[in-house]
Structure formats: structure tokens, C-alpha cells
Amino acid sequence: MEKFILIETSTDACSVAISEGDRIIASKYIQEFKAHAKRLVPMIEEILKESSTSIEECSAISVSEGPGSYTGLRVGVSSAKGICYGAQKELIGIPTLDILAQMGIEKITTPNSLIIPMLDARRMEVYCATYSSIGERLSDVKAEILDENSFSDLFESYDQIVFVGDGAEKFRKCLDEVKIGKATIVDCRPEAKYMAQLTLDKWNKKEFKDIAYFEP
């Protein structure tokens, strides 16, 4: 069973994990302002030690590719590329909103549901996309300025919409009583441990990034 190192640095949180197939065997998460550069590599070393895993045993390095904080993403991608280059491993990129969608699946309570991951883009703007209740992408990523009319057509079509991510909470004040009754607000940051299945799928499809040219 393949093992993977998973890296997520797209927000002010920094997390790493090791997966075996689609199962997480070790993970670490911190939320510390501008800590990615100094904490990421030690965190990787810690989970390798805790899980008695060597880099040589890992088939690929998987990293969040954005959208998100460009500084954070650059630290994650640079570290992932460095490991891949030095250890001759494959590089896998995972869209950040796909990771959040995986986190949103846990909050689904009815079949007629939708997941909308939201990454904070300051003020009332977010990066978002729509996903099915099983995490399948249904739309392109876009920048959305939130107001009382945002996603009105979707509220009419679905019994539950899960808004997940660090941009989700600020949408609450835009919702009236009817919409808030259908909305599930999950204020969180993306975490590496939710990258396992997404990484395994890309590994099986051999969807690898070019180590020399890949950028977040």
C-alpha cells in the first residue's frame, strides 16, 4: 500500500500528514501567524518519526496548490518540490477547495445537499466553488463578493448547503431566516489529513506535477 506525505499551507494554519492508501497514520496541525517557514519541515520530520516512516517509503508528496495565501502556498510547494527533487519522488497538487469540500462531507445530513467551500479573500470577498454532497466539483473556482443575494438560486434548489472554510462565517450575516435554516456554517481551515483520498485518486490516475515548473 502506497504511503504519501501530505502538506497543507494555504491559510494561516499549517498541517501535515502521512497517509497509507486512503488512511491517515499520522498528522499534525498548528494555527500560528507566519509560522509556515519555520515550522513546516520540523512537523514533517516529527510525523515521519512518530509513524516510523522514512521518506524512501513514501511514493509521492502531495501539496495544496491554492487558491489561498500565496506566501503560505509558496512555502508548502517549495518544501514539497525540494523533498521530491532530493528523494526522487512524484509531486501531486490538490486544489485547496477540494480539501475543504472533503471536510464539508462530514456535515451532510440530507441527500439533497450542496457543499460550497469558501476561502477568505478579505472584506466580503471569498474564493469559492460548488461541490456535490460526495465532494465532486460542479463549478469553476471564482471570486465572489458576498451579499444577501449570493447563491439565492441554490437555496431554492437544495435542502441543505454546507458553507465550509475560513470565509464561511462572514456569510452568516447575509442570510435571512429561510436561508439560515438551510445553511450549515463550518468555520475552519483546510487540513492535510483530508487530502488522503484525493491524493490516492490522483496517484492512481498518474496525475503528477512537473517538479521544475509547478507553481501554486
Side-chain angles (χ1 to χ4, degrees):
M1 187 74 71
E2 284 82 13
K3 290 183 179 181
F4 307 98
I5 297 174
L6 316 176
I7 299 172
E8 210 303 306
T9 58
S10 65
T11 65
D12 58 350
C14 178
S15 59
V16 296
I18 295 177
S19 62
E20 185 172 15
D22 61 357
R23 182 175 65 91
I24 295 297
I25 59 176
S27 66
K28 282 193 176 296
Y29 173 95
I30 62 166
Q31 189 174 335
E32 185 179 329
F33 185 63
K34 292 186 177 180
H36 300 64
K38 67 179 180 181
R39 296 295 298 275
L40 178 58
V41 172
M43 287 170 67
I44 294 172
E45 292 173 342
E46 288 169 15
I47 61 170
L48 286 169
K49 184 177 180 180
E50 288 176 10
S51 62
S52 300
T53 302
S54 67
I55 291 177
E56 288 70 27
E57 293 176 77
C58 298
S59 299
I61 314 301
S62 180
V63 64
S64 58
E65 63 182 26
S69 162
Y70 188 72
T71 300
L73 288 167
R74 190 168 54 185
V75 171
V77 169
S78 296
S79 299
K81 291 170 70 171
I83 297 171
C84 289
Y85 182 79
Q88 297 297 298
K89 302 296 180 181
E90 298 289 358
L91 177 64
I92 294 173
I94 304 293
T96 307
L97 295 181
D98 289 12
I99 303 168
L100 285 171
Q102 291 294 306
M103 300 173 72
I105 291 173
E106 296 180 346
K107 303 297 181 179
I108 295 295
T109 59
T110 178
N112 186 31
S113 299
L114 194 70
I115 302 169
I116 302 182
M118 290 181 165
L119 280 171
D120 191 3
R122 299 185 181 179
R123 298 186 181 179
M124 288 304 290
E125 190 171 13
V126 295
Y127 292 109
C128 62
T130 56
Y131 292 75
S132 73
S133 59
I134 59 173
E136 295 175 337
R137 175 90 66 87
L138 303 176
S139 72
D140 293 333
V141 176
K142 65 175 181 178
E144 175 86 13
I145 298 176
L146 300 174
D147 59 29
E148 65 275 9
N149 297 313
S150 297
F151 313 111
S152 291
D153 56 332
L154 299 178
F155 277 106
E156 293 178 2
S157 302
Y158 291 90
D159 297 324
Q160 179 193 24
I161 303 180
V162 177
F163 297 95
V164 55
D166 66 352
E169 183 60 37
K170 65 184 179 182
F171 187 42
R172 188 187 297 273
K173 64 183 179 182
C174 299
L175 302 175
D176 58 28
E177 289 187 9
V178 174
K179 290 179 179 178
I180 200 67
K182 291 186 173 185
T184 300
I185 307 292
V186 185
D187 183 16
C188 64
R189 272 70 171 167
E191 295 186 42
K193 65 183 181 181
Y194 289 91
M195 296 168 63
Q197 184 63 60
L198 299 169
T199 298
L200 182 60
D201 291 344
K202 286 187 176 289
W203 171 264
N204 289 334
K205 295 175 183 176
K206 300 188 184 304
E207 294 181 1
F208 307 134
K209 300 295 185 179
D210 186 306
I211 297 173
Y213 297 103
F214 176 61
E215 295 290 342

